[in-house]
Amino acid sequence: MQTRPRLGTRWIRAAAVGAVMPAAMVLAQVGMEFMPDGGRTLVLAAFDNDPERIAELAAASREPDEWYALVMDTGAELTEVQARTLAGYLSLNLPLPDPASLRELEPAGLADALPRDGKDLAVANCQSCHSFFTGYLTHDRDKTGWMQTFQAPFHREIDMNRTEIETFAHYSELNMPLSFDEVPPEWRF
């Protein structure tokens, strides 16, 4: 009996992710509300979806501690981890090449104009080859540990630049692991 070759489930998942990648930035967080917010969401919360203010910030370059102090001065109700997540995101991703263009956007379009954050990058890249739960959500690593995951041959193929890798690692260090109970049953294993 002759059998047809099967396409591996990893290949099928990778193809599916690749087919929707252009929409990944917009849709990355749909169904992922259980995960802690990343920098794109937090910047809007901390700075009130204000295109003028966010354009001003997007032109600046600051160290993480300077961003953290600025974030804490906003009066936004952020936890310590959220404030550190946002400060790291801003220090790694700003200044933007054309910050003035943000002034022309409606508040709803601001998030899409900002660089992908750690949550976006995890959702877009960590599901196509392994379980999101056991391969990402439950790992407890420091930033160096997360950075080292990209040294593995199978992770070198992920299309992320150095800033994105650092953004991912910073977010993951602060926000992972999630406890079993924080992850909805449909996302476990």
Side-chain angles (χ1 to χ4, degrees):
M1 176 171 142
Q2 187 176 15
T3 61
R4 292 186 306 170
R6 282 184 26 189
L7 292 175
T9 56
R10 288 182 180 179
W11 184 89
I12 291 170
R13 278 188 265 164
V17 167
V20 298
M21 196 55 72
M25 194 157 170
V26 175
L27 301 176
Q29 297 187 24
V30 173
M32 299 293 181
E33 294 81 9
F34 67 92
M35 287 181 65
D37 288 333
R40 286 189 319 129
T41 302
L42 294 170
V43 74
L44 300 177
F47 300 102
D48 298 322
N49 284 338
D50 179 357
E52 188 68 34
R53 177 72 171 125
I54 294 172
E56 177 186 311
L57 295 170
S61 176
R62 293 181 170 95
E63 293 298 315
D65 288 339
E66 295 171 310
W67 280 116
Y68 176 78
L70 181 72
V71 167
M72 296 307 288
D73 284 345
T74 65
E77 293 185 22
L78 299 178
T79 67
E80 175 75 14
V81 170
Q82 289 172 322
R84 295 270 177 215
T85 298
L86 177 53
Y89 171 80
L90 295 171
S91 71
L92 290 164
N93 289 280
L94 299 184
L96 293 181
D98 183 18
S101 65
L102 297 176
R103 288 185 175 95
E104 301 166 18
L105 298 175
E106 294 295 320
L110 281 172
D112 293 337
L114 297 172
R116 294 187 298 173
D117 61 34
K119 179 178 178 178
D120 297 325
L121 294 163
V123 170
N125 294 297
C126 295
Q127 302 180 68
S128 60
C129 296
H130 51 70
S131 162
F132 198 49
F133 180 72
T134 58
Y136 175 67
L137 296 174
T138 58
H139 283 253
D140 186 7
R141 298 181 177 142
D142 63 9
K143 187 173 179 182
T144 301
W146 285 110
M147 295 286 292
Q148 288 175 338
T149 64
F150 291 93
Q151 298 304 311
F154 44 87
H155 283 143
R156 285 189 211 145
E157 302 298 319
I158 297 172
D159 187 23
M160 287 171 49
N161 63 41
R162 178 71 180 184
T163 299
E164 290 174 321
I165 290 170
E166 288 187 42
T167 299
F168 169 88
H170 177 78
Y171 169 84
S172 300
E173 172 186 35
L174 293 172
N175 293 283
M176 296 301 127
L178 295 182
S179 72
F180 186 83
D181 293 335
E182 290 175 293
V183 180
E186 61 271 17
W187 284 100
R188 296 177 194 158
F189 307 102

